[in-house]
Structures are given as structure tokens and as C-alpha cells.
Amino acid sequence: MPFDAMFLTAVAAELRPTLVGARVDKVQQPARDTVVLQLRGRDGGGRLLLSANGNRPRVHLTQAQLENPAQPPMFCMLLRKHLAGGRLAGIRQPTAERMLDLTFDCTDELGVPCRKHLILELVGRNSNLILTGPDGRILDCLRRVDFEMSELRQLLPGLAYTLPPKPARPDFLETSAASIVAAACEKDLPVAQALGKTVAGVGPVVVREAVCRALGETPALACDLTADEKAHLAAAIDALKDEHAHGGTPTAVRLPQADGVPKPVEFSFFVPQQYGSEAILTQYPSYSEMLEDYYATKDRAERLRQKSREL
């Protein structure tokens, strides 16, 4: 699944106890769109991978020893200048946003204590990593965005950082299940699609799961649901919210393929029912372990398929 805001909330909650308070020991940029921060602290720290890859944006702890270029990229040098030795003071996620704001206690050029922010935006092909100074202005970013690229929001050194445009929909986590269902059932759309257009901060896999658990594979339109069906749907939404509130169950989904290599298709904070009995479900002790294994497996599967096509 893409990193929707709900899933990102679970990942951030897992990272905070280990990383907040740790100091930046090393900064590396093994790929054009990937930064790794080596953090050390009393609670262990770790190697935090921040990826703004357009196809695979993500954030998690990593054990992989990624190869680094002989000459560090300019953005990596900038991060080393501003963040090396700094202490991670907080990990904040704006409500219903697919982004994390990592706040660092640092010093400026004169040695005066200040706070700087490394902001990871996980928004598909527009994903980005942005460093801002204590005044909220952009020091630089992984992908600069000028007026020709976007009339709505520019990301350039010297400009004040602003949040991405926000959808005019309530947050899934902060809205009652009954209110979500009532609003969705006013729409002449399939149930999962109606739910997705009613609230923000949640991706298709979550709303599909709620529908699957409550209604099965019904082709019904939201506006045609009976009172009992609405009640079952609200209960399913509440159950998913409750599972999320208690940390969830990191789970990856793979589907069998004709070539015998299972295809990674999804990951979530719950054990999904929507993929049927043929799905291969793997549960993990942490989100970081799940994400690292999921993307490593995805890479291996793609390489094997590429080789089979070449033969």
C-alpha cells in the first residue's frame, strides 16, 4: 500500500521511543532520492532510512549496508553541515498528512543553539525531503520545485516552507465511524469508493478492508445500504481504528504467480481478509522489519522476472 497517513502514524509511533533524543552520528545518501541517518542514543538509536523515491517513498529503520557514492551528493553535504551532532528532538506528523517533520536541536554557524527541521513528504512521484532553518525558510530540498513546475507551491532555498494543499475532508482517525458511514451513504458510488471520498488520511486498502469485513464482496452502492449494513460497516471501521490505536499487526501480503515467485502486493497495520485464501500473509514484529523485507523481496522478484523475460 502507499504510505497513507494512517499507516504513517503507526510507523512514527514505533520510531519515537527508539530515536527521539538520539544524536546524528552520520549522514549518508546512497541513492539520489534516499538519505540514511545514523542516530545514536541511550535507547539504542539506529539507521533511519528516508526515501523520497517516486515509486517507493518510505521511512523505517534499516539494517542494510547500502553502498554509498565515492563523492557525497551536494544535498548529503548540506545535511551533514547542518545536522551532524544534532539531537533528534521530535517526530511530528501533521493531522491526516503523508509527511513527517523531524525536529533537530542543532547550532547555527555562530554556535548558537537553534532548531532545524528535516521534512519528509511521502506523496508518490512528488515525494521530497526538505531541510528548513529555525526561521522556517527552506535551506534546500532533494527536489527543487519552481513556479514553472507548480503554480501552487514552490520549494526553493530561501522560501518559507508551507504545507501541501490539504483536502477539504475530515480526518479518518478523528471522525466517528457512524459519521463516516452516514456521509459516505449519501453518495451514489460503490461503498469503498464512497468511503475514500468522504474522509482524508486513509488509503484504498483500509476502506476496502472495512467493506470486506462488514459486507463481503457486495457490489452494492453506498446509497443503497440497509440500516443493518450501515451498522456492520461502522463496526468494522471502529475495529480497524481500535487495532491501529493498539499498534496494529505489521503484515505483508504476497500473491502466488504462474512463475512460482510470489508477488509482493501490499502491506498494512492489520491482517487483511480482502485478498482471499490464496494470499500469503506474513506478520512481523515491527514495521521497520516488515518494510525492509517487503521492499527487498519486491526487488528480488522484479529481478527474477526481468531475467526470465531475457531468457
Side-chain angles (χ1 to χ4, degrees):
M1 66 182 282
F3 261 77
D4 65 16
M6 192 174 185
F7 182 81
L8 184 57
T9 300
V11 174
E14 178 181 278
L15 295 175
R16 287 188 187 98
T18 302
L19 299 183
V20 171
R23 293 193 177 276
V24 180
D25 186 44
K26 293 181 181 178
V27 180
Q28 299 171 318
Q29 189 176 348
R32 184 180 62 85
D33 49 20
T34 302
V35 166
V36 176
L37 303 180
Q38 174 69 59
L39 296 155
R40 297 187 184 276
R42 290 182 302 176
D43 295 321
R47 302 178 69 245
L48 182 64
L49 183 145
L50 304 160
S51 176
N53 182 286
N55 295 319
R56 300 175 183 182
R58 62 194 192 274
V59 54
H60 57 84
L61 293 173
T62 181
Q63 298 295 326
Q65 298 299 319
L66 303 174
E67 185 175 350
N68 293 288
Q71 180 63 38
M74 291 299 294
F75 188 66
C76 180
M77 297 296 289
L78 180 83
L79 293 181
R80 289 177 179 177
K81 173 184 175 182
H82 288 278
L83 300 183
R87 182 177 64 85
L88 180 60
I91 300 175
R92 186 178 68 88
Q93 178 189 7
T95 301
E97 293 284 0
R98 291 178 292 165
M99 58 180 291
L100 286 185
D101 180 344
L102 280 65
T103 303
F104 293 89
D105 286 333
C106 307
T107 55
D108 62 16
E109 290 80 359
L110 300 176
V112 177
C114 65
R115 283 198 157 178
K116 297 173 185 176
H117 299 262
L118 185 59
I119 302 165
L120 176 63
E121 298 183 349
L122 299 161
V123 286
R125 64 185 181 86
N126 294 319
S127 296
N128 212 335
L129 196 56
I130 303 134
L131 180 67
T132 67
D135 60 356
R137 294 190 176 276
I138 297 171
L139 296 172
D140 210 343
C141 43
L142 206 57
R143 293 187 177 92
R144 296 181 178 183
V145 180
D146 58 24
F147 188 81
E148 291 184 357
M149 299 169 70
S150 173
E151 296 182 1
L152 296 176
R153 182 171 180 255
Q154 292 79 51
L155 297 171
L156 294 169
L159 296 182
Y161 175 80
T162 58
L163 290 172
K166 197 169 185 177
R169 301 192 302 274
D171 177 28
F172 180 82
L173 287 176
E174 296 183 356
T175 307
S176 71
S179 297
I180 293 171
V181 172
C185 288
E186 294 178 358
K187 296 177 171 59
D188 186 18
L189 293 169
V191 182
Q193 188 176 346
L195 289 172
K197 289 184 176 297
T198 299
V199 288
V202 65
V205 66
V206 178
V207 293
R208 289 199 310 263
E209 185 66 18
V211 174
C212 175
R213 293 184 181 187
L215 308 173
E217 298 182 0
T218 175
L221 298 177
C223 58
D224 293 334
L225 292 185
T226 66
D228 282 347
E229 288 172 330
K230 292 177 184 179
H232 290 154
L233 183 57
I237 291 173
D238 275 333
L240 287 168
K241 285 188 176 188
D242 185 66
E243 187 170 353
H244 179 271
H246 288 86
T249 305
T251 305
V253 182
R254 297 171 177 83
L255 294 178
Q257 301 294 301
D259 59 8
V261 182
K263 180 181 179 181
V265 295
E266 196 65 86
F267 53 81
S268 66
F269 64 86
F270 53 84
V271 180
Q273 300 175 14
Q274 60 189 277
Y275 293 96
S277 59
E278 291 188 359
I280 303 167
L281 306 180
T282 307
Q283 298 176 28
Y284 296 82
S286 73
Y287 289 102
S288 288
E289 290 176 66
M290 178 188 72
L291 291 165
E292 182 138 81
D293 185 55
Y294 177 86
Y295 283 107
T297 302
K298 197 174 182 70
D299 288 341
R300 287 195 298 270
E302 290 179 358
R303 285 196 297 269
L304 287 172
R305 290 191 180 88
Q306 180 63 33
K307 287 181 180 179
S308 67
R309 286 194 292 266
E310 293 173 354
L311 296 177

